[in-house]
């Protein structure tokens, strides 16, 4: 791993910024910074969001597992529990359907002048995060319910990563092919 | 330069690009791409303006200290990158009400603003409850084959699809 680079604080802030510029550029070029595109995905009329996410997932999955295999990276799977994921993801989903942006795409939308994403989305997200921080001590015990740590599917099933990577890549590619074939 | 001024790229090209950026983030920064912790850190920074340093003692801000970090810079970069992309393609435009919303709910900016504020609140609150968003769980987590992230991604879309259907087919339908 490039540990010397990882430890350089200033260089890391610059790298974060540059990677973000690339990410924002791609999100806008993919048109997923637009409310219309996201809401049409959630209404199952336009599958642009899913196509981008799944293609990014497969590309990144193969690349990151290669880097890990070469000793150039390590995984950072997020820990989770039923208590965090079920309520949290559903509340997020409800917000996603109402707002029509997620955190990254809302910021990207501000970049092309979407004022609802700025004055509504970004401000609302800041308030939501602040209220969560305030309630966190009260929620802490619920958040630990059904904790399964930072498990990954290969570890869960006692498999080496590559067979899982290959199967997931083939399944997702098949799904994308089916979506494209269905004209969505 | 045609490529950079084009309106829209193929979703597969964009997806591959984001996948490559994810790999670069792991390689160069030892970090997965994510967007929602920047919001809690910013909320902490704003709270600190009003309530001073004692904000740092809140248990959640001890986990996510109110400061500008790698991911905060990434989110700032998203703003700049999207602005650059829109500008090059001549797509920058101040707009309060998206077309799809206007067609179904009318062109009132204040109604769209209030709805977006409510939606944003749930997104910010839910992202912190779930420990990530459509980037951190939905892309970076699923590509690591993390169990938590696959569950989160399904939940994000299940909630999102149900809510969008309710709004467009029942409430505004």
């Amino acid at each position: 791993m490039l540990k010397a680079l990882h430890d350089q604080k200033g260089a890391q802030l610059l790298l974060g910024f540059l990677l973000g510029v690339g990410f924002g550029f791609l999100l806008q070029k993919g048109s997923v910074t637009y409310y219309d595109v996201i809401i049409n995905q959630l209404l199952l009329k336009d599958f642009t969001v899913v196509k981008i996410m799944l293609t990014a997932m497969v590309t990144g999955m193969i690349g990151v597992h290669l880097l890990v295999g070469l000793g150039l990276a390590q995984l950072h799977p997020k820990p989770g529990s039923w208590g965090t994921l079920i309520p949290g993801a559903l509340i997020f989903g409800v917000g996603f359907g109402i707002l029509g942006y997620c955190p990254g795409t809302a910021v990207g939308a501000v970049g092309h002048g979407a004022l609802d994403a700025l004055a509504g989305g970004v401000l609302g997200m800041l308030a939501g995060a602040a209220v969560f921080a305030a309630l966190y001590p009260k929620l802490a015990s619920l958040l630990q319910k059904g904790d399964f740590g930072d498990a990954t599917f290969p570890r869960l099933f006692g498999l080496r990563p590559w067979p899982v990577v290959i199967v997931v890549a083939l399944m997702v590619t098949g799904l994308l092919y089916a979506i494209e074939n269905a004209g969505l | 330069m045609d490529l950079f001024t084009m309106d829209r790229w193929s979703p597969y090209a964009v997806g591959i690009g984001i996948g490559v950026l994810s790999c670069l983030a792991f390689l160069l920064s030892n970090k997965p791409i994510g967007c929602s912790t920047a919001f809690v850190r910013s909320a902490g920074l704003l709270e600190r303006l009003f309530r001073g340093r004692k904000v740092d003692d809140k248990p959640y801000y001890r986990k996510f200290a109110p400061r500008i970090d790698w991911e905060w810079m990434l989110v700032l970069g998203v703003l700049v990158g999207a602005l650059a992309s829109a500008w090059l393609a001549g797509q920058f435009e101040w707009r309060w009400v998206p077309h799809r919303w206007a067609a179904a709910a009318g062109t009132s900016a204040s109604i769209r603003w209030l709805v977006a504020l409510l939606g944003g609140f749930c997104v910010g609150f839910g992202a912190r409850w779930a420990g990530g968003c459509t980037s951190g769980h939905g892309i970076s987590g699923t590509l690591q084959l993390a169990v938590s992230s696959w569950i989160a991604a399904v939940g994000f879309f299940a909630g999102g699809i149900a809510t969008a259907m309710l709004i467009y087919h029942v409430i505004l339908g």
Side-chain angles (χ1 to χ4, degrees), chain A residues 1-2 5-6 12-13 15-17 19-31 34-36 39-40 42-46 48-49 51-53 55-57 59-61 63-65 67 72-80 82-85 87-99 101-104 107-108 110-116 119-133 135-137 139 142-143 148 151-154 156 164-165 168 176 180, chain B residues 3-4 6-9 11-12 14-30 32-33 35-36 39-40 42-43 46-47 58-61 63 68-70 73-86 88-89 91-96 98-101 112-113 115-139 142-148 150-152 155-157 159-161 163-165 167-169:
Chain A
M1 296 210 301
L2 308 175
L5 178 61
H6 299 163
Q12 284 304 324
L13 291 179
L15 271 172
F17 178 73
L19 289 164
V21 170
F23 190 33
F25 194 92
L26 288 166
L27 290 173
Q28 205 280 336
K29 278 281 170 270
S31 75
Y34 289 88
Y35 171 89
D36 297 13
I39 217 70
N40 278 332
L42 296 177
L43 294 169
L44 307 179
K45 288 186 174 141
D46 170 349
T48 304
V49 175
K51 287 177 193 173
I52 289 177
M53 285 184 75
T55 310
M57 196 276 282
T59 309
M61 175 176 67
V64 167
H65 283 86
L67 290 173
L72 288 169
Q74 64 190 45
L75 294 183
H76 300 281
K78 286 179 190 279
W82 294 112
T84 53
L85 294 169
L90 290 177
I91 294 168
F92 180 98
V94 168
F96 192 25
I98 297 174
L99 176 61
Y101 306 104
C102 57
V107 172
V110 175
H112 59 66
L115 292 166
D116 61 328
V122 171
L123 210 63
M125 287 189 282
L126 288 170
V131 170
F132 184 82
L135 293 179
Y136 176 71
L139 291 171
L142 172 61
L143 298 176
F148 45 78
T152 62
F153 286 109
L156 189 68
V164 183
V165 168
V168 171
L176 287 170
E180 204 60 51
Chain B
L3 202 56
F4 292 100
M6 270 168 75
D7 274 8
R8 202 165 171 167
W9 289 358
Y12 304 109
V14 170
I16 290 170
I18 293 172
V20 170
L21 284 179
S22 297
C23 297
L24 288 173
F26 273 92
L27 176 67
L28 301 174
S29 298
N30 193 27
I33 285 177
C35 288
S36 71
F39 286 89
V40 75
S42 301
L46 290 170
E47 266 188 71
K58 280 193 181 177
Y60 202 64
Y61 293 138
K63 270 178 73 143
I68 290 173
D69 70 338
W70 182 88
M73 292 300 288
L74 181 113
V75 172
L76 180 66
V78 168
L79 176 69
V80 173
L83 174 66
S85 170
L88 286 170
Q91 290 172 322
F92 184 89
E93 177 192 18
W94 294 113
R95 171 173 288 282
W96 268 105
H99 303 286
R100 185 76 182 78
W101 175 266
R112 172 58 194 155
W113 174 61
V115 168
L117 205 55
L118 172 70
F121 183 90
C122 297
V123 166
F125 189 80
R128 286 299 88 223
W129 193 321
C133 63
T134 14
S135 307
H137 270 312
I139 297 176
T142 57
L143 73 83
Q144 297 180 71
L145 298 169
V147 176
S148 63
W150 281 75
I151 296 169
F156 294 160
F157 278 92
I161 290 168
T163 306
M165 295 274 185
I167 292 173
Y168 277 88
H169 297 321

